[in-house]
Amino acid sequence: QHGMVGEGDAPAMVAAITAAGLPAVIRVRWNEPGLVGFALDMGAAAVIAPMVNSAAEAKALVKAAKYPPLGQRSWGGYAMVQTAGVSAAEYLRDANSHTLIFAMIETREALAALDEIAAVKGLDGLFVGPSDLTIALTDGGSLDRSGAATIAAMGRVAEVCKAQGLVAGAFAGTPDFCRAYAALGFRFMAGPTDTDLLNRGAEAFLKATAPN
C-alpha cells in the first residue's frame, strides 16, 4: 500500500516468491475491485485491503476477491494458474479456499462496526494497521502504538476474530510488538520493512567493526 512497487514490478516479484516455495502476500493500495483482482490474478496467496470501515465495504471486498457463490471475482490473468501449478479447472475449484482475504481495521468507524465486518461471509481474517489506528484513536495526536487505547482495541479485534473463526493479523515491525500482539491472540504478523532490516544490519555491522 505504501511501498514503491508498481504494477510492472509486482508480477515478477510474486513469481519469484512463489518459485521459492513461499506464499506472496500483497497489501493493495485501496479496497478497489480492480486492484484486488489484479493482485490475485498475478498469483497472490493473500490480499490485504486497507481502510475497510463497514460491513458493506467488507462485502465489496469479498465480492471482488472470491468466485461464486461467495463473490463475483472476474476470471482471467492466467499467471495465477501457472503460479499455482494447476489446471484452470482446479484453480477455479480451490481458489476461494486457497487464497486469503484480509480486511484492515484501522479507524474508529471500523471498530464501531467490528462485529458486523467480522461476520461477513467470505472474509478470511482481519488485519490491524496499528499506526493508523493509533492516529485515529488519538485524533491525530500520537503514533505510539503501545498506547492503552490501541492495545485494548487490538485485543478486541483478536477476540472477535477468534469468535468468528478468522485469522487475526497486524503489522508488528519489531520483535517486541510481535511478542505483544501474539500475547493478544494475533497469529499473522508483518515483520520489519526491507529498509528497517537494511538499517539494522548496517548499524550492527558498524557497531561490530567500530574501534574499541
mmCIF file of all heavy atoms in Angstrom, residues 145-163:
data_model
loop_
_atom_site.group_PDB
_atom_site.id
_atom_site.type_symbol
_atom_site.label_atom_id
_atom_site.label_comp_id
_atom_site.label_asym_id
_atom_site.label_seq_id
_atom_site.Cartn_x
_atom_site.Cartn_y
_atom_site.Cartn_z
ATOM 1 N N ARG A 145 2.185 3.235 19.247
ATOM 2 C CA ARG A 145 1.346 2.049 19.089
ATOM 3 C C ARG A 145 1.219 1.221 20.365
ATOM 4 O O ARG A 145 0.471 0.259 20.397
ATOM 5 C CB ARG A 145 1.904 1.178 17.958
ATOM 6 C CG ARG A 145 1.839 1.853 16.605
ATOM 7 C CD ARG A 145 2.225 0.886 15.510
ATOM 8 N NE ARG A 145 3.666 0.660 15.443
ATOM 9 C CZ ARG A 145 4.238 -0.531 15.246
ATOM 10 N NH1 ARG A 145 3.496 -1.608 15.131
ATOM 11 N NH2 ARG A 145 5.545 -0.652 15.164
ATOM 12 N N SER A 146 1.969 1.586 21.387
ATOM 13 C CA SER A 146 1.885 0.864 22.652
ATOM 14 C C SER A 146 0.884 1.497 23.607
ATOM 15 O O SER A 146 0.755 1.053 24.753
ATOM 16 C CB SER A 146 3.262 0.798 23.323
ATOM 17 O OG SER A 146 3.732 2.105 23.628
ATOM 18 N N GLY A 147 0.159 2.515 23.152
ATOM 19 C CA GLY A 147 -0.814 3.180 23.996
ATOM 20 C C GLY A 147 -1.924 2.245 24.442
ATOM 21 O O GLY A 147 -2.283 1.296 23.734
ATOM 22 N N ALA A 148 -2.490 2.526 25.623
ATOM 23 C CA ALA A 148 -3.503 1.642 26.203
ATOM 24 C C ALA A 148 -4.719 1.491 25.303
ATOM 25 O O ALA A 148 -5.272 0.398 25.172
ATOM 26 C CB ALA A 148 -3.919 2.175 27.577
ATOM 27 N N ALA A 149 -5.167 2.573 24.681
ATOM 28 C CA ALA A 149 -6.361 2.511 23.843
ATOM 29 C C ALA A 149 -6.124 1.637 22.621
ATOM 30 O O ALA A 149 -6.993 0.845 22.223
ATOM 31 C CB ALA A 149 -6.774 3.918 23.415
ATOM 32 N N THR A 150 -4.944 1.752 22.025
ATOM 33 C CA THR A 150 -4.628 0.931 20.852
ATOM 34 C C THR A 150 -4.530 -0.541 21.218
ATOM 35 O O THR A 150 -5.088 -1.405 20.520
ATOM 36 C CB THR A 150 -3.304 1.398 20.220
ATOM 37 O OG1 THR A 150 -3.431 2.766 19.811
ATOM 38 C CG2 THR A 150 -2.951 0.547 19.015
ATOM 39 N N ILE A 151 -3.846 -0.840 22.307
ATOM 40 C CA ILE A 151 -3.698 -2.235 22.732
ATOM 41 C C ILE A 151 -5.062 -2.835 23.065
ATOM 42 O O ILE A 151 -5.353 -3.989 22.709
ATOM 43 C CB ILE A 151 -2.744 -2.342 23.926
ATOM 44 C CG1 ILE A 151 -1.334 -1.891 23.521
ATOM 45 C CG2 ILE A 151 -2.712 -3.763 24.465
ATOM 46 C CD1 ILE A 151 -0.708 -2.706 22.407
ATOM 47 N N ALA A 152 -5.913 -2.068 23.735
ATOM 48 C CA ALA A 152 -7.247 -2.568 24.080
ATOM 49 C C ALA A 152 -8.066 -2.837 22.830
ATOM 50 O O ALA A 152 -8.767 -3.861 22.723
ATOM 51 C CB ALA A 152 -7.969 -1.569 24.979
ATOM 52 N N ALA A 153 -7.994 -1.932 21.858
ATOM 53 C CA ALA A 153 -8.739 -2.111 20.609
ATOM 54 C C ALA A 153 -8.232 -3.327 19.852
ATOM 55 O O ALA A 153 -9.023 -4.107 19.297
ATOM 56 C CB ALA A 153 -8.618 -0.862 19.748
ATOM 57 N N MET A 154 -6.931 -3.533 19.837
ATOM 58 C CA MET A 154 -6.372 -4.685 19.146
ATOM 59 C C MET A 154 -6.771 -5.979 19.842
ATOM 60 O O MET A 154 -7.034 -6.995 19.188
ATOM 61 C CB MET A 154 -4.854 -4.560 19.045
ATOM 62 C CG MET A 154 -4.410 -3.430 18.135
ATOM 63 S SD MET A 154 -2.622 -3.353 17.899
ATOM 64 C CE MET A 154 -2.327 -4.864 16.965
ATOM 65 N N GLY A 155 -6.822 -5.951 21.157
ATOM 66 C CA GLY A 155 -7.281 -7.128 21.881
ATOM 67 C C GLY A 155 -8.699 -7.496 21.511
ATOM 68 O O GLY A 155 -9.032 -8.684 21.374
ATOM 69 N N ARG A 156 -9.534 -6.478 21.318
ATOM 70 C CA ARG A 156 -10.917 -6.744 20.920
ATOM 71 C C ARG A 156 -10.977 -7.334 19.518
ATOM 72 O O ARG A 156 -11.771 -8.242 19.247
ATOM 73 C CB ARG A 156 -11.735 -5.456 20.977
ATOM 74 C CG ARG A 156 -13.192 -5.670 20.614
ATOM 75 C CD ARG A 156 -14.072 -4.509 20.971
ATOM 76 N NE ARG A 156 -15.393 -4.726 20.391
ATOM 77 C CZ ARG A 156 -15.897 -4.032 19.384
ATOM 78 N NH1 ARG A 156 -15.201 -3.039 18.849
ATOM 79 N NH2 ARG A 156 -17.089 -4.301 18.896
ATOM 80 N N VAL A 157 -10.136 -6.840 18.606
ATOM 81 C CA VAL A 157 -10.097 -7.401 17.249
ATOM 82 C C VAL A 157 -9.724 -8.881 17.303
ATOM 83 O O VAL A 157 -10.343 -9.716 16.646
ATOM 84 C CB VAL A 157 -9.100 -6.625 16.361
ATOM 85 C CG1 VAL A 157 -8.919 -7.330 15.022
ATOM 86 C CG2 VAL A 157 -9.587 -5.194 16.135
ATOM 87 N N ALA A 158 -8.722 -9.209 18.107
ATOM 88 C CA ALA A 158 -8.299 -10.601 18.226
ATOM 89 C C ALA A 158 -9.420 -11.477 18.779
ATOM 90 O O ALA A 158 -9.631 -12.605 18.325
ATOM 91 C CB ALA A 158 -7.062 -10.695 19.113
ATOM 92 N N GLU A 159 -10.154 -10.966 19.767
ATOM 93 C CA GLU A 159 -11.256 -11.725 20.362
ATOM 94 C C GLU A 159 -12.368 -11.971 19.351
ATOM 95 O O GLU A 159 -12.928 -13.073 19.269
ATOM 96 C CB GLU A 159 -11.806 -10.972 21.570
ATOM 97 C CG GLU A 159 -10.851 -10.948 22.761
ATOM 98 C CD GLU A 159 -11.351 -10.048 23.873
ATOM 99 O OE1 GLU A 159 -12.442 -9.439 23.703
ATOM 100 O OE2 GLU A 159 -10.667 -9.942 24.909
ATOM 101 N N VAL A 160 -12.710 -10.948 18.578
ATOM 102 C CA VAL A 160 -13.763 -11.080 17.575
ATOM 103 C C VAL A 160 -13.336 -12.072 16.497
ATOM 104 O O VAL A 160 -14.137 -12.888 16.026
ATOM 105 C CB VAL A 160 -14.116 -9.705 16.972
ATOM 106 C CG1 VAL A 160 -15.027 -9.852 15.759
ATOM 107 C CG2 VAL A 160 -14.788 -8.826 18.021
ATOM 108 N N CYS A 161 -12.075 -12.011 16.097
ATOM 109 C CA CYS A 161 -11.575 -12.966 15.098
ATOM 110 C C CYS A 161 -11.699 -14.394 15.616
ATOM 111 O O CYS A 161 -12.138 -15.292 14.883
ATOM 112 C CB CYS A 161 -10.118 -12.660 14.754
ATOM 113 S SG CYS A 161 -9.885 -11.272 13.625
ATOM 114 N N LYS A 162 -11.326 -14.605 16.844
ATOM 115 C CA LYS A 162 -11.414 -15.938 17.419
ATOM 116 C C LYS A 162 -12.855 -16.438 17.440
ATOM 117 O O LYS A 162 -13.138 -17.596 17.109
ATOM 118 C CB LYS A 162 -10.843 -15.940 18.835
ATOM 119 C CG LYS A 162 -10.810 -17.310 19.484
ATOM 120 C CD LYS A 162 -10.158 -17.260 20.860
ATOM 121 C CE LYS A 162 -10.120 -18.644 21.496
ATOM 122 N NZ LYS A 162 -9.469 -18.609 22.839
ATOM 123 N N ALA A 163 -13.776 -15.553 17.801
ATOM 124 C CA ALA A 163 -15.185 -15.932 17.873
ATOM 125 C C ALA A 163 -15.752 -16.274 16.503
ATOM 126 O O ALA A 163 -16.627 -17.140 16.380
ATOM 127 C CB ALA A 163 -15.993 -14.802 18.510
#
